[in-house]
Amino acid sequence: MFQGRTLLIATMHHKEKAIAPIFEKELGVKCFTSDKFDTDTLGTFSGEVARKNNALNTLREKCLFSIEKNDCDLVVASEGSFGSHPLIFFAPANEEMLMFKDIKNDVEIVVKAISTETNFNAAEIKNESELMQFANKVKFPSHGLILKPSENDFSKIVKGITDEVTLKNSFKEIMNEFGTAYVETDMRALYNPTRMELIEKVTLKLIKAIQSKCPNCNYPGFIVSESKPGLKCDLCHSPTRSILSDISKCKKCNYTTEQLYPNNKTTEDPMYCDFCNP
């Protein structure tokens, strides 16, 4: 279905370095990038352009706009989100979502992953000593930084800072002009190797999803679409919130399978039971 076709990687931030080698090897496609559509118009991490939609809808827009501008029918794009981990409170996290769209065959496959391996951080800085302490903590200069007057002031913003001279000079200029300075990690992939590593991992997950075909009609993307809770407690045998089964459903013919005990355990530890451990 994909062998020999041309695949657009919708990015302005060099994500093709992580994505292209995997797709070309595993699917036999020829990858390319294009500057005909500015993906930053859908939102920027630094805040000048707010993301109007959620990550999934933004990702879909990125794919469709890129296809339209480049007159192609095969595209992959990623969308990252940063903030507190949903389960590990107070821990910063990077959620990365990838979408693969094949207009010709009406295929859309989405995968995502979340990781606490991120340098995502920001702070108001009062002096050069605080600036360098922050820089050392967030893996500078291998990971880029952004400087601006304050969190929501974009009147002067310096992005992609990857050397100490530029960092210190930009800090002095902003302090002299505004009297305050705000530093944050540059989360664009080309300035953030840690994020690029996660994009590579999610790309491998996406390839696996594409290569997972429906047993009934051979359509790609036969992956888990729903997980059912209800794994029984080992002590009181009441259903818990833990996963009992995974449901996979074909988006084309609706063929469905259910896999019991996907995590290779038939009962749950009582510590996770709302009755034994309320």
Side-chain angles (χ1 to χ4, degrees), residues 12-272:
M12 295 178 60
H13 303 145
H14 299 182
K15 296 174 189 174
E16 71 277 3
K17 291 182 178 179
I19 298 173
I22 297 172
F23 266 87
E24 290 183 345
K25 177 184 177 182
E26 298 295 334
L27 292 191
V29 296
K30 183 179 180 181
C31 297
F32 76 103
T33 58
S34 170
D35 60 3
K36 291 182 180 179
F37 174 65
D38 184 356
T39 55
D40 281 351
T41 59
L42 299 176
T44 58
F45 292 123
S46 45
E48 319 95 291
V49 181
R51 192 167 70 183
K52 296 179 181 179
N53 291 314
N54 61 30
L56 179 59
N57 288 333
T58 300
L59 190 53
R60 188 170 289 117
E61 287 180 337
K62 187 182 293 186
C63 287
L64 292 174
F65 287 148
S66 297
I67 282 175
E68 180 183 342
K69 293 291 184 181
N70 289 277
D71 191 27
C72 60
D73 58 16
L74 199 61
V75 65
V76 64
S78 82
E79 186 71 11
S81 300
F82 300 88
S84 298
H85 194 282
L87 299 177
I88 309 172
F89 301 116
F90 306 113
N94 171 197
E95 181 180 78
E96 207 67 41
M97 186 180 294
L98 261 70
M99 177 179 287
F100 174 80
K101 282 190 77 69
D102 179 0
I103 302 300
K104 178 181 176 182
N105 294 295
D106 191 27
V107 174
E108 179 183 286
I109 301 172
V110 180
V111 299
K112 63 181 179 179
I114 190 166
S115 173
T116 55
E117 293 296 320
T118 178
N119 71 330
F120 177 65
N121 208 337
E124 183 179 326
I125 301 298
K126 297 182 178 64
N127 53 58
E128 193 173 283
S129 176
E130 288 183 358
L131 176 66
M132 297 314 300
Q133 287 178 15
F134 179 91
N136 292 331
K137 183 171 66 174
V138 297
K139 304 180 182 179
F140 178 84
S142 64
H143 291 61
L145 294 175
I146 294 174
L147 278 171
K148 52 190 178 183
S150 63
E151 183 177 4
N152 298 309
D153 186 347
F154 309 109
S155 55
K156 183 179 181 70
I157 182 167
V158 186
K159 298 183 179 183
I161 303 171
T162 56
D163 68 273
E164 189 172 325
V165 173
T166 303
L167 180 63
K168 290 181 177 179
N169 288 342
S170 299
F171 172 70
K172 290 175 183 176
E173 290 176 8
I174 290 175
M175 284 296 289
N176 289 337
E177 186 173 350
F178 299 93
T180 60
Y182 188 83
V183 63
E184 60 187 41
T185 47
D186 195 330
M187 303 314 296
R188 293 175 297 171
L190 72 164
Y191 294 109
N192 202 291
T194 299
R195 183 185 173 208
M196 193 74 87
E197 289 176 7
L198 182 59
I199 291 173
E200 182 177 351
K201 291 177 182 177
V202 184
T203 300
L204 291 168
K205 186 176 181 180
L206 178 57
I207 287 291
K208 185 177 180 180
I210 294 169
Q211 293 175 334
S212 298
K213 298 180 180 180
C214 173
N216 185 55
C217 70
N218 215 35
Y219 193 73
F222 191 74
I223 56 177
V224 175
S225 57
E226 178 188 357
S227 293
K228 288 185 176 182
L231 192 65
K232 289 185 177 181
C233 172
D234 189 48
L235 182 62
C236 73
H237 307 298
S238 298
T240 69
R241 301 181 192 182
S242 299
I243 302 304
L244 173 65
S245 65
D246 280 341
I247 307 296
S248 298
K249 185 176 181 180
C250 178
K251 292 183 179 180
K252 186 175 183 180
C253 73
N254 292 323
Y255 179 80
T256 303
T257 62
E258 181 174 12
Q259 179 191 357
L260 285 170
Y261 315 122
N263 296 318
N264 296 319
K265 55 182 181 179
T266 56
T267 58
E268 184 55 284
D269 190 301
M271 70 179 291
Y272 299 109

